[in-house]
Amino acid sequence: MPNHVLESVRTEFRNFNVCPHCESNGEEGLLSRMTEGLPMISRSDGRNYHLLLADRPHAYPAERGDGPTQMVSACFWYVYGAGREATKTSVVLFEDVFGGRANVFRQIEFVADILADELLRRQSLAVFYNMRGNGILELAY
């Protein structure tokens, strides 16, 4: 399973509610998520794909009874190509190194940039990633 060094990529469209990718493919552009009321974290090149944070971040593992954990999971939905019926899911685990809700969302913004870069290079994402420092490891494809 590849281990990649992370570099934030510059995407054309960031943090939108109406998707330019869907609109350019003649589809409804309004994006919905499992949990509304969170910051919209989304990416698109306007033609080939869109990626968005699907739900609020969760402590990982959720069933751990030993108190708070420093690991966080973030679930993303993405489409590459036309047709929303092809929506796929990718989950990224990362360590909450700074603490606090605002800082977690800054980390998720960085993760979204990395996933957008992966989508442009590979046209798909792994199902499960683990991010450590500036490295990302595919855990399940």
Side-chain angles (χ1 to χ4, degrees), residues 38-39 41 53 57 100-110:
L38 296 174
I41 298 177
L53 180 66
R101 184 177 166 128
N103 289 323
V104 166
F105 284 106
R106 282 189 200 107
Q107 288 175 274
I108 293 172
E109 289 272 359
F110 182 71

Side-chain angles (χ1 to χ4, degrees), residues 44-107:
S44 180
D45 66 352
R47 297 173 307 282
N48 299 303
Y49 76 92
H50 72 248
L51 168 86
L52 72 141
L53 180 66
D55 197 7
R56 64 184 170 85
H58 294 276
Y60 182 87
E63 60 277 344
R64 187 173 171 176
D66 297 337
T69 176
Q70 294 234 266
M71 293 300 289
V72 175
S73 68
C75 178
F76 291 87
W77 289 335
Y78 74 93
V79 171
Y80 192 94
R84 277 202 177 169
E85 66 278 353
T87 299
K88 297 180 182 173
T89 301
S90 187
V91 174
V92 179
L93 291 179
F94 61 94
E95 190 172 359
D96 180 10
V97 293
F98 303 113
R101 184 177 166 128
N103 289 323
V104 166
F105 284 106
R106 282 189 200 107
Q107 288 175 274

